[in-house]
Amino acid sequence: RIIVTAGPTREPFDPVRFITNYSSGKMGYALAVMAARRGAEVVLISGPSSLPVPPGMDFISVGSALEMRDAVMSCLAAATVIVKAAAVADYRPAVRAENKLKKKQGPLVLPLERNPDIIAEIGAVKGDRILVGFAMESENLLANAKAKLFAKNMDLIVANDLHQTGAGFQCDTNIIKILDPRGGIEEVPLMDKLDIAGRILDRVKVLIDERKC
């Protein structure tokens, strides 16, 4: 049973506006589709996305990072693999206005507070579950990805550089490096995200087989 998270989160600061990012959900949805094709029981937890809900899986729609955290943790006990492909906002507005904020003279200051670190929370309690995370970076790709891999107790981390053509948000393709705690780095060239999903799940299958031995 595999949990896949996908898409962005939206962090509202009044009834009509919010903070978000450019994630389309395409990578996470591709992972969910490919996992279902390979026979996994899939739970797809998605932030707001224009993509159609894939058939053959449980689907949970969420809005904010707090909602995504609650959904993931509620499904965790039954999961054997967790793939955190969602682009969860690190911060949310500290206060949500009850009414629409009106335009005034001068700048608008929005105090922010930290959102929960979902993947770190999973990493602390995962037991023998397999945990896969993502690191989209704009600089120091390998160093940042390695630090995240160990700090959050992941089994694999998928790293990509948003400056590479074909690897950023909204693309149908990706270019990735898959890192493991033993120091291995698998470089995967430009390909369709569904094929990228297959390569990531190949690595997950290797880990599953190793743990059966």
Side-chain angles (χ1 to χ4, degrees), residues 8 21 32 60 68 76 78 82 84 92 104-105 107-108 135 154-155 162 172 194 198 200 208 210:
N21 58 61
I60 301 174
M68 181 165 285
L76 185 62
I82 306 97
K84 286 286 284 87
R92 66 180 183 274
K104 300 178 181 178
Q105 292 295 325
L108 172 66
M154 300 181 210
D155 297 284
L162 65 84
D172 292 323
L194 200 59
I200 295 167
I208 291 172
E210 288 177 352

Side-chain angles (χ1 to χ4, degrees), residues 18 26 43-44 49 59 63 97 122 130 138 163 199 207:
F18 51 81
K26 289 179 179 180
V43 178
L44 174 58
S49 174
F59 181 81
I122 298 168
I130 293 168
S138 59
H163 291 313
R199 295 289 287 268
L207 292 175

Side-chain angles (χ1 to χ4, degrees), residues 53-124:
V53 177
M57 64 190 67
D58 293 334
F59 181 81
I60 301 174
S61 177
V62 299
S64 68
L66 293 175
E67 290 174 0
M68 181 165 285
R69 184 263 173 204
D70 290 345
V72 170
M73 299 310 291
S74 70
C75 298
L76 185 62
T80 53
V81 179
I82 306 97
V83 182
K84 286 286 284 87
V88 179
D90 292 326
Y91 295 89
R92 66 180 183 274
V95 178
R96 179 178 179 177
E98 183 177 347
N99 297 307
K100 179 183 174 183
L101 296 176
K102 305 301 290 183
K103 183 166 58 177
K104 300 178 181 178
Q105 292 295 325
L108 172 66
V109 178
L110 288 176
L112 303 178
E113 60 186 4
R114 279 287 302 270
N115 270 322
D117 191 329
I118 303 171
I119 199 162
E121 188 171 352
I122 298 168

Side-chain angles (χ1 to χ4, degrees), residues 84-88 90 114 117-121 123 126 131-137 140-160 179-181:
K84 286 286 284 87
V88 179
D90 292 326
R114 279 287 302 270
D117 191 329
I118 303 171
I119 199 162
E121 188 171 352
K126 70 184 180 74
L131 178 58
V132 181
F134 278 70
M136 176 177 277
E137 303 289 345
N140 302 321
L141 178 66
L142 291 178
N144 287 335
K146 286 179 182 177
K148 189 174 180 181
L149 171 71
F150 287 105
K152 303 184 182 185
N153 195 27
M154 300 181 210
D155 297 284
L156 297 170
I157 191 165
V158 180
N160 59 349
L179 286 67
D180 63 59

